[in-house]
């Protein structure tokens, strides 16, 4: 067992027991909840220690751990991606809090930002194919690191916009990257034959279906939402093709056949990029709106049990329409502190019955104080609620608007306890509206909503400056 892992086990021993206890409301005789590990946006940066990069380029992925262990660099600071020290610290903390989860979720963006540029700087005379080999080794190395931490867990993974050969937001259907990544992660994803079609499906477009063995045959659908992004370019793909529409066709055909109440997961959420909207003073959608509308239409005919998302780097949520009602989506915070957030991950208490997410507990590493990984908050206790579902999220949405204490707590948790990049208090409504308004026009109306004084006969209104609903590109692609 690695030294860092031993330290984390001792450090977090007092926290581990609480994450597995049953809630008081659990009926006798029902299947007990399980604790799953949820993480996202690792954004691993193998270039962080420049003295080791040449060795990494020349060595197989199986030797990377030994090479990177020579680095003396501390965990990545704010506004940087995850270096080896932070990766090992995070994996050790996960293992210390949850030693043996049946399911581990990794919601995309394995690779660091500006990965092609970093490689070109590290090896400016690299021969053709060298970059692609380095990407493959990076993905294989991460699979090995997660497998060493959780050798028996079933993994559910998705791709992020930084993952691939071609470049950011350029996920390429049929790329060798997809087949090579599928082969590297197959032993983790296909535990016990739960995803027998994983390699074939993932290699086609980066999306696939699987079953979750802890709850029998519960289905899961993993989507590649990069193909729907407002930034997406099929630069390295087949000219004239529409991979986003092809994926939606696959989902529309798959949804009725899959039955049950599937878990859904993807990297980029549907809806609005609130941070970019503030910068642009205009509603800035995360997807092309035609894809958003069709996805929401497909969801309206489904009854998923949960919807897990990454990309935002912060702990947030959305409420989306589904068959017979709504579903609350869970935005998983990032390991990378690239957005000024503290690195964080979630241990989720998961039930085989509705609501599926009984509670979530977030653990974070306070970078500002160079502290240790520790429990930041549990959803139910922090907000006085009973489960992570649409009913309770709507109640939280109301509380954020009416209760400044809850609002402050939410935005502290949103940034995983970091004050380095906490949203400005006066901008709260821009984020709040994004929880429920997933397309530009209603989002704009929500942000522009005016408060009228109760004095009769007065037509004066009080509001922030009007924003437009134009499709403006984000100032900071993640």
């Amino acid at each position: 067992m690695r030294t860092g892992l031993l330290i984390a086990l001792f450090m977090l021993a007092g926290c581990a027991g609480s994450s597995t206890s049953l809630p008081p409301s659990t009926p006798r005789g029902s299947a007990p909840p399980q604790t799953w590990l949820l993480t996202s946006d690792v954004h691993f940066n193998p270039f962080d220690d420049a003295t080791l990069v040449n060795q990494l380029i020349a060595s197989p992925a199986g030797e990377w751990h030994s090479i990177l262990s020579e680095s003396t660099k501390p965990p990545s600071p704010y506004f940087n991606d995850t270096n080896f020290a932070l990766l090992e610290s995070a994996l050790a903390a996960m293992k210390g809090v949850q030693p043996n989860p049946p399911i581990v979720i990794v919601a995309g963006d394995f690779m660091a930002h500006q990965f092609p540029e970093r490689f070109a700087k590290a090896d400016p005379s690299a021969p053709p194919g060298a970059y692609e080999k380095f990407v493959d080794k990076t993905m294989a190395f991460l699979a090995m690191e997660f497998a060493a931490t959780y050798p028996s867990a079933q993994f559910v993974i998705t791709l992020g916009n930084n993952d691939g050969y071609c470049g950011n937001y350029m996920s390429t259907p049929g790329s060798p990257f997809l087949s090579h990544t599928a082969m590297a992660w197959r032993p983790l994803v296909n535990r016990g034959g739960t995803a027998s079609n994983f390699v074939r499906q993932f290699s086609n477009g980066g999306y696939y279906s699987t079953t979750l063995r802890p709850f029998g045959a519960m289905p899961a659908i993993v989507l590649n939402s990069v193909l729907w992004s407002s930034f997406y370019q099929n630069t390295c793909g087949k000219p004239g093709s529409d991979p986003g529409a092809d994926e939606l066709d696959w989902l529309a055909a798959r949804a009725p056949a899959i039955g049950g109440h599937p878990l859904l997961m993807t990297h980029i959420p549907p809806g609005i990029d609130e941070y970019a909207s503030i910068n642009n003073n205009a509603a800035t959608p995360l997807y092309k709106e035609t894809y958003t509308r069709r996805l929401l239409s497909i969801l309206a005919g489904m009854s998923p049990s949960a919807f897990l998302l990454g990309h935002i780097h912060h702990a947030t949520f959305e409420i989306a329409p589904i068959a017979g009602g709504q579903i609350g989506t869970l935005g998983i915070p990032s390991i990378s502190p690239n957005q000024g957030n503290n690195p964080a991950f979630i241990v989720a208490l998961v039930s085989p019955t509705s609501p599926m997410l009984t509670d979530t507990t977030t653990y974070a590493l306070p970078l500002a104080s160079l502290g240790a990984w520790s429990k930041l908050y549990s959803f139910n206790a922090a907000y006085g609620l009973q489960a992570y579902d649409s009913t309770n999220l709507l109640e939280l949405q109301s509380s954020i608007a009416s209760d400044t204490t809850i609002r402050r707590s939410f935005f502290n948790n949103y940034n995983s306890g970091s004050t380095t990049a906490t949203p400005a208090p006066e901008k709260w409504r821009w984020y709040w509206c994004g929880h429920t308004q997933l397309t530009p026009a209603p989002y704009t109306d929500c942000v522009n909503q005016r408060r009228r004084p109760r004095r009769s006969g007065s037509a004066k209104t009080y509001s922030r400056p009007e924003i437009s609903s134009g499709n403006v590109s984000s100032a900071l692609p993640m």
Side-chain angles (χ1 to χ4, degrees):
M1 185 178 291
R2 299 169 184 164
T3 303
L5 181 55
L6 281 171
I7 293 171
L9 287 170
F10 285 116
M11 187 169 63
L12 294 166
C15 302
S18 62
S19 64
T20 58
S21 59
L22 297 182
S25 59
T26 302
R28 290 190 178 187
S30 66
Q34 301 170 348
T35 46
W36 295 5
L37 194 288
L38 279 55
T39 188
S40 187
D41 292 87
V42 173
H43 285 294
F44 178 61
N45 177 15
F47 311 100
D48 182 67
D49 192 331
T51 65
L52 302 177
V53 175
N54 287 339
Q55 293 183 64
L56 297 177
I57 292 173
S59 304
E63 296 178 11
W64 276 28
H65 183 91
S66 177
I67 294 169
L68 289 165
S69 295
E70 298 173 12
S71 178
T72 58
K73 300 192 74 171
S76 306
Y78 291 125
F79 304 108
N80 285 263
D81 275 330
T82 303
N83 64 6
F84 180 71
L86 178 55
L87 175 67
E88 294 303 287
S89 173
L91 291 172
M94 294 173 194
K95 185 74 170 181
V97 170
Q98 185 49 264
N100 191 30
I103 298 288
V104 175
I105 300 289
V106 188
D109 264 352
F110 294 90
M111 294 164 55
H113 297 88
Q114 292 88 45
F115 209 89
E117 295 83 357
R118 294 175 193 266
F119 181 84
K121 183 178 179 180
D123 191 0
S125 59
Y131 173 71
E132 290 80 1
K133 290 179 180 178
F134 193 81
V135 169
D136 287 343
K137 289 192 290 186
T138 300
M139 297 299 289
F141 166 73
L142 290 171
M144 293 174 189
E145 293 295 286
F146 274 98
T149 306
Y150 292 122
S152 61
Q154 179 186 354
F155 280 71
V156 185
I157 68 165
T158 189
L159 289 178
N161 47 284
N162 287 277
D163 300 330
Y165 295 156
C166 194
N168 196 15
Y169 293 98
M170 296 180 187
S171 187
T172 307
S175 165
F177 167 79
L178 295 179
S179 59
H180 296 166
T181 297
M183 292 301 295
W185 283 86
R186 178 178 64 173
L188 291 77
V189 174
N190 190 35
R191 299 280 194 210
T194 52
S196 57
N197 292 322
F198 170 67
V199 172
R200 178 178 60 82
Q201 291 181 338
F202 191 91
S203 298
N204 178 57
Y207 45 90
Y208 62 101
S209 60
T210 183
T211 55
L212 306 178
R213 63 176 182 173
F215 291 149
M218 176 182 284
I221 300 176
V222 181
L223 302 167
N224 181 5
S225 52
V226 180
L227 304 177
W228 305 326
S229 169
S230 298
F231 293 107
Y232 179 66
Q233 299 177 62
N234 192 21
T235 303
C236 298
K238 181 180 178 181
S241 62
D242 189 344
D246 293 342
E247 181 178 9
L248 288 166
D249 290 343
W250 177 87
L251 178 61
R254 188 71 182 164
I258 203 164
H261 300 280
L263 169 75
L264 297 181
M265 186 175 82
T266 193
H267 179 66
I268 304 173
I272 301 298
D273 185 334
E274 300 97 346
Y275 178 83
S277 297
I278 292 171
N279 284 345
N280 296 327
N281 197 42
T284 306
L286 287 155
Y287 295 175
K288 292 181 175 69
E289 191 169 349
T290 54
Y291 294 144
T292 300
R293 293 190 180 280
R294 187 166 180 217
L295 175 63
L296 294 179
S297 176
I298 295 171
L299 290 179
M302 300 176 65
S303 297
S305 56
F307 197 172
L308 306 180
L309 306 162
H311 186 65
I312 302 301
H313 287 225
H314 302 280
T316 189
F317 67 92
E318 293 178 345
I319 299 172
I322 59 170
Q326 297 172 307
I327 186 170
T329 72
L330 171 59
I332 304 169
S334 67
I335 297 300
S336 168
N338 175 270
Q339 300 293 309
N341 55 289
N342 282 324
F345 62 86
I346 290 175
V347 171
L349 193 62
V350 182
S351 171
T353 58
S354 182
M356 184 177 183
L357 295 176
T358 306
D359 197 3
T360 64
T361 299
T362 299
Y363 294 83
L365 177 64
L367 290 178
S369 63
L370 298 178
W373 287 90
S374 60
K375 176 180 173 180
L376 180 63
Y377 72 102
S378 290
F379 178 83
N380 292 356
Y383 303 122
L385 300 173
Q386 298 300 314
Y388 194 101
D389 63 1
S390 60
T391 299
N392 286 283
L393 287 173
L394 285 169
E395 185 173 339
L396 174 57
Q397 180 79 342
S398 177
S399 297
I400 292 171
S402 62
D403 188 327
T404 56
T405 300
I406 292 293
R407 190 184 309 160
R408 283 193 298 269
S409 176
F410 174 79
F411 282 110
N412 178 68
N413 296 334
Y414 173 88
N415 227 30
S416 301
S418 168
T419 59
T420 302
T422 301
E426 68 273 12
K427 298 293 187 181
W428 69 269
R429 191 173 183 87
W430 295 70
Y431 293 89
W432 182 81
C433 290
H435 295 159
T436 56
Q437 309 303 326
L438 305 186
T439 52
Y443 174 80
T444 300
D445 290 343
C446 177
V447 173
N448 286 336
Q449 183 179 0
R450 293 171 174 172
R451 298 172 56 201
R452 298 181 179 274
R454 298 191 179 188
R455 293 175 295 175
S456 61
S458 173
K460 185 177 180 181
T461 60
Y462 301 88
S463 71
R464 67 174 70 255
E466 294 267 339
I467 71 168
S468 70
S469 60
N471 188 345
V472 180
S473 293
S474 169
L476 184 63
M478 285 180 288

